[in-house]
Amino acid sequence: MHDGHIIIGNWKMNLDAFASRALADELRKKLAGIRLAPNLEVVVCPSYDALASVGEALSGSALQLGAQDVFWQEKGAYTGEISASMLAALGVRLVIVGHSERRTHLHETDELVNMKVKAALSQGMTPVLCVGETYDERRIGHTELILMRQVVEGLKGITLGPDNKLVIAYEPVWVIGTGQAIDPAQAERAIQVIRQSLIDLYPPATIATQIRVIYGGSVDPGNIANYTTIPGIRGVLVGAASIHAENFIKLLASFT
Ligand code: 13P
């Protein structure tokens, strides 16, 4: 049973291995001075090159290690790719899948994303399935259609075992990295659509205890509460505000 929120820092391709380690060390030190809200889960997702070192720095702390992507095959001739078992070997507990930046720049389709969700689950890791509409899709009234499609296709054929957890991150593509988060009412509506799609796929008890729906897109210490106080939103996925220790700690502190 989970009844707390989750906050996930996505460091994207912003910090090299040394800067990532320094941030992890700083977070760990600063965290010692604050009391986290009970049941608050905190995850940071450095780039692949920094996973081992950041994992070492966070070992034994309240921060968990996540990854920004995963390949769907387990092993073999897949030059440049990293499998779920390789991530698991480094202590990775959660993996972001289908981020809009990958859908855009790497042309990831719902089908590929679906295979990645399966790969993560097969290693007992929590997939964070990212969904969200572009500005043009919203403008022509396709937001709900896109969200339903990305959820249903991304989770096609996926049953959750009793120990599996899943996070769906609603990230409207047009507000990511803009510093201008979405109107909370629009976020709430989108989250309702996602939850409705989930109801068609999983029993209510599974949704209540194993699946979290969270918001991402220009979350910062000043606006985080606008989202985390919406009942259907169980956490946040944070980019820019997660790569400065001070800001990230403020985000965590907003839950106390
Ligand atoms: P920003 O918080 O920088 O808008 O990034 C959001 C995001 O894409 C997290 O995955």
Side-chain angles (χ1 to χ4, degrees):
M1 176 80 185
H2 62 68
D3 45 22
H5 285 76
I6 187 166
I7 172 160
I8 305 167
N10 175 8
W11 296 357
K12 305 192 180 181
M13 201 180 72
N14 285 307
L15 306 171
D16 67 20
F18 303 99
S20 297
R21 174 61 186 248
L23 176 58
D25 286 336
E26 198 184 345
L27 285 174
R28 187 175 182 149
K29 211 155 64 195
K30 282 192 155 58
L31 263 179
I34 70 161
R35 181 124 60 100
L36 286 182
N39 297 328
L40 176 65
E41 268 190 66
V42 188
V43 187
V44 295
C45 304
S47 44
Y48 282 149
D49 58 320
L51 279 174
S53 171
V54 169
E56 191 181 80
L58 300 181
S59 155
S61 80
L63 298 185
Q64 297 177 47
L65 187 65
Q68 298 177 17
D69 186 36
V70 63
F71 193 58
W72 57 87
Q73 292 286 359
E74 192 43 44
K75 208 178 182 62
Y78 302 102
T79 302
E81 294 299 334
I82 306 272
S83 71
S85 61
M86 290 172 172
L87 295 176
L90 290 177
V92 169
R93 309 277 299 277
L94 168 150
V95 59
I96 297 171
V97 168
H99 193 282
S100 63
E101 287 149 13
R102 297 197 61 85
R103 292 181 193 258
T104 303
H105 302 302
L106 282 302
H107 309 293
E108 287 196 1
T109 60
D110 287 323
E111 197 186 348
L112 297 193
V113 170
N114 176 256
M115 293 195 284
K116 292 181 173 200
V117 173
K118 286 179 182 157
L121 288 170
S122 77
Q123 290 296 321
M125 290 188 290
T126 301
V128 180
L129 170 62
C130 298
V131 300
E133 79 289 359
T134 64
Y135 182 74
D136 282 344
E137 287 162 349
R138 174 167 286 268
R139 198 174 45 84
I140 59 173
H142 283 187
T143 300
E144 300 190 2
L145 212 67
I146 295 291
L147 295 179
M148 288 189 287
R149 193 204 75 211
Q150 290 181 343
V151 170
V152 170
E153 296 297 317
L155 297 176
K156 205 176 205 158
I158 290 173
T159 47
L160 294 178
D163 296 328
N164 284 144
K165 298 260 195 267
L166 174 70
V167 176
I168 313 284
Y170 169 56
E171 294 209 305
V173 179
W174 50 284
V175 306
I176 292 176
T178 62
Q180 204 71 57
I182 196 173
D183 176 347
Q186 285 178 313
E188 187 169 17
R189 176 68 200 130
I191 298 281
Q192 279 166 359
V193 172
I194 291 167
R195 287 194 169 279
Q196 191 55 50
S197 306
L198 288 171
I199 287 168
D200 295 337
L201 298 174
Y202 299 104
T206 303
I207 298 173
T209 59
Q210 293 174 254
I211 305 179
R212 283 186 174 106
V213 185
I214 68 175
Y215 169 75
S218 294
V219 171
D220 62 33
N223 65 25
I224 184 170
N226 296 343
Y227 304 99
T228 53
T229 50
I230 293 174
I233 297 184
R234 309 298 303 279
V236 285
L237 177 55
V238 187
S242 74
I243 55 170
H244 298 286
E246 193 95 344
N247 277 341
F248 196 59
I249 295 290
K250 278 189 196 156
L251 293 174
L252 305 188
S254 76
F255 283 94
T256 56

PDB file of all heavy atoms in Angstrom, residues 175-182 217-220 223 240:
ATOM      1  N   VAL A 175       4.736  22.843 -21.857  1.00  0.00           N
ATOM      2  CA  VAL A 175       5.169  23.638 -20.694  1.00  0.00           C
ATOM      3  C   VAL A 175       6.514  23.171 -20.139  1.00  0.00           C
ATOM      4  O   VAL A 175       7.091  23.831 -19.285  1.00  0.00           O
ATOM      5  CB  VAL A 175       4.128  23.681 -19.549  1.00  0.00           C
ATOM      6  CG1 VAL A 175       2.788  24.135 -20.036  1.00  0.00           C
ATOM      7  CG2 VAL A 175       4.033  22.356 -18.836  1.00  0.00           C
ATOM      8  N   ILE A 176       7.037  22.058 -20.649  1.00  0.00           N
ATOM      9  CA  ILE A 176       8.313  21.550 -20.146  1.00  0.00           C
ATOM     10  C   ILE A 176       9.420  22.562 -20.426  1.00  0.00           C
ATOM     11  O   ILE A 176       9.578  23.030 -21.551  1.00  0.00           O
ATOM     12  CB  ILE A 176       8.660  20.190 -20.802  1.00  0.00           C
ATOM     13  CG1 ILE A 176       7.684  19.115 -20.315  1.00  0.00           C
ATOM     14  CG2 ILE A 176      10.101  19.786 -20.504  1.00  0.00           C
ATOM     15  CD1 ILE A 176       7.871  17.766 -20.978  1.00  0.00           C
ATOM     16  N   GLY A 177      10.153  22.894 -19.380  1.00  0.00           N
ATOM     17  CA  GLY A 177      11.313  23.771 -19.534  1.00  0.00           C
ATOM     18  C   GLY A 177      10.989  25.222 -19.840  1.00  0.00           C
ATOM     19  O   GLY A 177      11.878  25.989 -20.184  1.00  0.00           O
ATOM     20  N   THR A 178       9.733  25.618 -19.701  1.00  0.00           N
ATOM     21  CA  THR A 178       9.371  27.001 -20.027  1.00  0.00           C
ATOM     22  C   THR A 178       9.362  27.893 -18.793  1.00  0.00           C
ATOM     23  O   THR A 178       9.329  29.119 -18.917  1.00  0.00           O
ATOM     24  CB  THR A 178       7.949  27.078 -20.634  1.00  0.00           C
ATOM     25  OG1 THR A 178       7.027  26.594 -19.647  1.00  0.00           O
ATOM     26  CG2 THR A 178       7.843  26.259 -21.897  1.00  0.00           C
ATOM     27  N   GLY A 179       9.332  27.290 -17.613  1.00  0.00           N
ATOM     28  CA  GLY A 179       9.207  28.076 -16.387  1.00  0.00           C
ATOM     29  C   GLY A 179       7.763  28.486 -16.130  1.00  0.00           C
ATOM     30  O   GLY A 179       7.441  29.143 -15.152  1.00  0.00           O
ATOM     31  N   GLN A 180       6.885  28.083 -17.011  1.00  0.00           N
ATOM     32  CA  GLN A 180       5.472  28.465 -16.940  1.00  0.00           C
ATOM     33  C   GLN A 180       4.643  27.189 -16.824  1.00  0.00           C
ATOM     34  O   GLN A 180       4.335  26.562 -17.838  1.00  0.00           O
ATOM     35  CB  GLN A 180       5.113  29.204 -18.242  1.00  0.00           C
ATOM     36  CG  GLN A 180       3.949  30.139 -18.151  1.00  0.00           C
ATOM     37  CD  GLN A 180       4.277  31.384 -17.348  1.00  0.00           C
ATOM     38  OE1 GLN A 180       5.205  32.099 -17.668  1.00  0.00           O
ATOM     39  NE2 GLN A 180       3.520  31.628 -16.282  1.00  0.00           N
ATOM     40  N   ALA A 181       4.316  26.788 -15.602  1.00  0.00           N
ATOM     41  CA  ALA A 181       3.596  25.524 -15.422  1.00  0.00           C
ATOM     42  C   ALA A 181       2.148  25.665 -15.882  1.00  0.00           C
ATOM     43  O   ALA A 181       1.640  26.775 -16.044  1.00  0.00           O
ATOM     44  CB  ALA A 181       3.667  25.076 -13.970  1.00  0.00           C
ATOM     45  N   ILE A 182       1.502  24.549 -16.071  1.00  0.00           N
ATOM     46  CA  ILE A 182       0.133  24.543 -16.582  1.00  0.00           C
ATOM     47  C   ILE A 182      -0.845  25.022 -15.503  1.00  0.00           C
ATOM     48  O   ILE A 182      -0.574  24.871 -14.305  1.00  0.00           O
ATOM     49  CB  ILE A 182      -0.208  23.102 -17.056  1.00  0.00           C
ATOM     50  CG1 ILE A 182      -1.449  23.073 -17.948  1.00  0.00           C
ATOM     51  CG2 ILE A 182      -0.346  22.166 -15.885  1.00  0.00           C
ATOM     52  CD1 ILE A 182      -1.699  21.688 -18.556  1.00  0.00           C
ATOM     53  N   GLY A 217       6.399  19.350 -15.413  1.00  0.00           N
ATOM     54  CA  GLY A 217       6.417  20.465 -16.367  1.00  0.00           C
ATOM     55  C   GLY A 217       6.540  21.778 -15.623  1.00  0.00           C
ATOM     56  O   GLY A 217       5.561  22.273 -15.070  1.00  0.00           O
ATOM     57  N   SER A 218       7.784  22.303 -15.550  1.00  0.00           N
ATOM     58  CA  SER A 218       8.049  23.588 -14.906  1.00  0.00           C
ATOM     59  C   SER A 218       7.593  23.658 -13.449  1.00  0.00           C
ATOM     60  O   SER A 218       7.128  24.700 -12.987  1.00  0.00           O
ATOM     61  CB  SER A 218       7.444  24.733 -15.730  1.00  0.00           C
ATOM     62  OG  SER A 218       8.125  24.833 -16.977  1.00  0.00           O
ATOM     63  N   VAL A 219       7.730  22.533 -12.759  1.00  0.00           N
ATOM     64  CA  VAL A 219       7.444  22.545 -11.312  1.00  0.00           C
ATOM     65  C   VAL A 219       8.608  23.230 -10.606  1.00  0.00           C
ATOM     66  O   VAL A 219       9.776  22.967 -10.910  1.00  0.00           O
ATOM     67  CB  VAL A 219       7.277  21.105 -10.778  1.00  0.00           C
ATOM     68  CG1 VAL A 219       7.206  21.094  -9.252  1.00  0.00           C
ATOM     69  CG2 VAL A 219       6.046  20.442 -11.381  1.00  0.00           C
ATOM     70  N   ASP A 220       8.281  24.122  -9.666  1.00  0.00           N
ATOM     71  CA  ASP A 220       9.333  24.764  -8.878  1.00  0.00           C
ATOM     72  C   ASP A 220       8.825  24.946  -7.447  1.00  0.00           C
ATOM     73  O   ASP A 220       7.651  24.655  -7.156  1.00  0.00           O
ATOM     74  CB  ASP A 220       9.785  26.081  -9.531  1.00  0.00           C
ATOM     75  CG  ASP A 220       8.665  27.103  -9.614  1.00  0.00           C
ATOM     76  OD1 ASP A 220       7.788  27.131  -8.716  1.00  0.00           O
ATOM     77  OD2 ASP A 220       8.653  27.893 -10.576  1.00  0.00           O
ATOM     78  N   ASN A 223       5.445  26.785  -7.074  1.00  0.00           N
ATOM     79  CA  ASN A 223       4.148  26.314  -7.598  1.00  0.00           C
ATOM     80  C   ASN A 223       3.826  24.859  -7.260  1.00  0.00           C
ATOM     81  O   ASN A 223       2.735  24.380  -7.566  1.00  0.00           O
ATOM     82  CB  ASN A 223       4.071  26.531  -9.123  1.00  0.00           C
ATOM     83  CG  ASN A 223       5.073  25.687  -9.906  1.00  0.00           C
ATOM     84  OD1 ASN A 223       5.512  24.638  -9.442  1.00  0.00           O
ATOM     85  ND2 ASN A 223       5.444  26.129 -11.102  1.00  0.00           N
ATOM     86  N   ALA A 240      14.341  21.119 -14.404  1.00  0.00           N
ATOM     87  CA  ALA A 240      15.267  22.209 -14.055  1.00  0.00           C
ATOM     88  C   ALA A 240      15.436  22.428 -12.554  1.00  0.00           C
ATOM     89  O   ALA A 240      16.563  22.622 -12.075  1.00  0.00           O
ATOM     90  CB  ALA A 240      14.799  23.498 -14.731  1.00  0.00           C
TER      91      ALA A 240
END
